[in-house]
Amino acid sequence: MFFDLIDFSDLALADWEQLLELGFDICENPAAYRERLKGRILANLFYEPSTRTNLSFQAAMQRLGGGVIGFSGTSATSVSKGESLKDTVKIVSNYADAVVIRHPSEGAAYAASIYSKLPVINAGDGGHLHPTQTMVDLFAISKLKSKKMTGLAIGVCGDLLYGRTVHSLLRAFSLYKDNTFYLISTPALQTPEYFLSELKKRNEIIMAETIEECIDKLDIIYMTRIQRERFENEDDCNAQIGIYVLDKNKLKKAKDDLAILHPLPKNDEIFAEIDDDPRAKYFYQAELGMYIRMALLIKILENPKPRVSAAAQNTGKKCQNATCITKTEKALPNIAKTSGGKTICAYCENEI
Ligand code: NCD
């Protein structure tokens, strides 16, 4: 069992299946869980904007009888006076029972776990990972496809380079086998290889340039927005807008039981006319988010397991990724791990 949830890979299949079963049960019978975390406090530290993740964590904790503290944006906190992540996390550790953190720097949640005596849940670290959105996505797929998680054809479309929900989702699917993934993106926004290496071992990956070339084969299409806030320059971002758009015309060739998913917020990649199509499941997907986060909070807060630190070595070498948390948190040790024969930063996973 896990202590923190930084990466979906912190979970074994058995952990995830237990969580999923609990999610199903809570969804059927939420009243039975009303007092389950009575007296416990969750700290929600949102350094970046959020609607669903922040509010569904708050609702989840309150529906379990617990309380929530935290912030949404840093302007009213001491972060705006220059306080480090280390100091903020150390202080909050005294007030709550678990910490949820969303931060613009890659590796921030892992960094927070180094300083926190409490369990840390990653609610999005820059363009890196977003494991609790993946729980929502897998829960939705499991509900919509009658718990069938193999033999599916899944299209993942849009910003596969910076889309952290995509990275976590692809990693999570390495727990399952015999699925076919159509990765639909421009060459500039393809998924970094290190999110695919485990998935490839038991699943097929097909690179696609258009939605049209694969829409008729898909059981699921997972649309994503272009992550404007992660681009270094505006022109590069603008060049990617409007390339992948799901409209009624493209859906004509799709299966009747296609599930259209999107982590939300959506921009122009899904026409509003699709919202009323019975295959559009993204609002339902978001609704499920609260229940699976209730399951996660119960698992993490009841009988927390001892923290097992990741096998990382002090290298003395600095990570060169400009958006890595080590760029702003000067006190962090320069630690690395090995993956696929390469030395990668323990925080953001970029090659060192
Ligand atoms: C996503 C995120 O923050 O990464 N939103 C969410 O949590 N549901 C997706 C996005 O912002 O595009």
Side-chain angles (χ1 to χ4, degrees):
M1 247 312 191
F2 52 99
F3 181 84
D4 305 297
L5 179 71
I6 307 300
D7 182 345
F8 197 91
S9 309
D10 295 336
L11 272 68
L13 181 59
D15 295 330
W16 169 238
E17 283 177 343
Q18 272 183 28
L19 264 168
L20 194 59
E21 277 316 305
L22 186 57
F24 270 94
D25 195 59
I26 295 171
C27 209
E28 292 295 307
N29 192 8
Y33 293 86
R34 251 195 314 245
E35 307 229 316
R36 193 73 181 249
L37 294 181
K38 196 171 173 193
R40 313 299 294 279
I41 295 179
L42 183 68
N44 255 1
L45 311 185
F46 279 74
Y47 289 74
E48 255 196 349
S50 170
T51 299
R52 277 150 291 273
T53 308
N54 188 352
L55 297 183
S56 67
F57 261 118
Q58 291 193 38
M61 192 61 183
Q62 291 180 36
R63 285 190 184 276
L64 293 166
V68 185
I69 59 169
F71 53 80
S72 181
T74 54
S75 60
T77 73
S78 289
V79 179
S80 69
K81 301 185 203 169
E83 185 163 72
S84 64
L85 179 71
K86 175 181 180 180
D87 291 2
T88 303
V89 167
K90 276 190 164 299
I91 299 306
V92 170
S93 278
N94 299 315
Y95 304 152
D97 297 293
V99 175
V100 174
I101 180 166
R102 169 172 289 190
H103 196 285
S105 297
E106 291 155 23
Y110 178 55
S113 75
I114 293 179
Y115 297 129
S116 169
K117 57 187 180 194
L118 309 176
V120 173
I121 299 172
N122 184 3
D125 59 329
H128 186 215
L129 297 168
H130 191 348
T132 73
Q133 178 62 43
T134 296
M135 292 184 171
V136 180
D137 303 338
L138 294 183
F139 190 28
I141 293 170
S142 185
K143 281 240 174 213
L144 292 165
K145 300 294 170 193
S146 312
K147 300 196 179 178
K148 177 176 173 268
M149 302 300 279
T150 59
L152 297 169
I154 304 172
V156 186
C157 178
D159 189 342
L160 313 190
L161 174 63
Y162 298 117
R164 57 195 177 191
T165 68
V166 170
H167 303 159
S168 285
L169 183 68
L170 294 174
R171 268 210 177 144
F173 258 101
S174 66
L175 293 177
Y176 301 102
K177 59 178 183 173
D178 300 333
N179 294 297
T180 305
F181 286 86
Y182 292 85
L183 301 184
I184 313 163
S185 77
T186 60
L189 295 185
Q190 282 176 4
T191 322
E193 179 60 27
Y194 53 93
F195 293 115
L196 300 175
S197 48
E198 286 303 307
L199 179 74
K200 270 183 181 169
K201 291 182 183 164
R202 301 196 298 160
N203 298 273
E204 192 181 356
I205 294 177
I206 297 172
M207 310 300 267
E209 280 176 26
T210 62
I211 296 178
E212 289 89 329
E213 72 195 67
C214 55
I215 188 82
D216 57 327
K217 301 182 188 70
L218 301 180
D219 301 301
I220 293 158
I221 185 160
Y222 188 92
M223 296 295 295
T224 62
R225 77 180 167 94
I226 303 299
Q227 305 280 300
R228 181 173 285 282
E229 64 276 36
R230 312 270 177 238
F231 281 76
E232 271 174 37
N233 80 67
E234 216 181 322
D235 290 346
D236 288 352
C237 174
N238 290 338
Q240 298 294 332
I241 303 288
I243 296 179
Y244 297 109
V245 177
L246 199 59
D247 56 20
K248 271 195 175 158
N249 200 32
K250 290 197 189 87
L251 280 182
K252 276 186 192 149
K253 284 205 270 164
K255 291 183 184 174
D256 289 342
D257 64 348
L258 170 75
I260 305 167
L261 300 181
H262 193 306
L264 303 178
K266 61 184 167 68
N267 296 155
D268 303 327
E269 62 281 356
I270 299 187
F271 268 24
E273 63 187 19
I274 304 295
D275 292 355
D276 299 322
D277 188 297
R279 293 168 287 190
K281 301 296 184 193
Y282 30 87
F283 295 125
Y284 174 64
Q285 179 188 0
E287 180 189 335
L288 293 175
M290 182 181 73
Y291 298 109
I292 200 68
R293 289 188 170 105
M294 286 169 79
L296 177 65
L297 291 173
I298 290 173
K299 284 284 174 204
I300 282 197
L301 284 165
E302 283 184 352
N303 316 311
K305 302 292 172 291
R307 179 179 269 136
V308 181
S309 297
Q313 291 168 344
N314 213 316
T315 58
K317 282 193 206 154
K318 284 204 182 313
C319 173
Q320 294 305 313
N321 171 15
T323 51
C324 177
I325 187 66
T326 52
K327 289 281 171 286
T328 47
E329 274 301 296
K330 300 295 179 201
L332 282 170
N334 293 312
I335 47 177
K337 49 188 186 175
T338 341
S339 170
K342 291 179 179 159
T343 304
I344 58 170
C345 171
Y347 304 94
C348 71
E349 299 188 87
N350 274 260
E351 197 172 345
I352 294 187

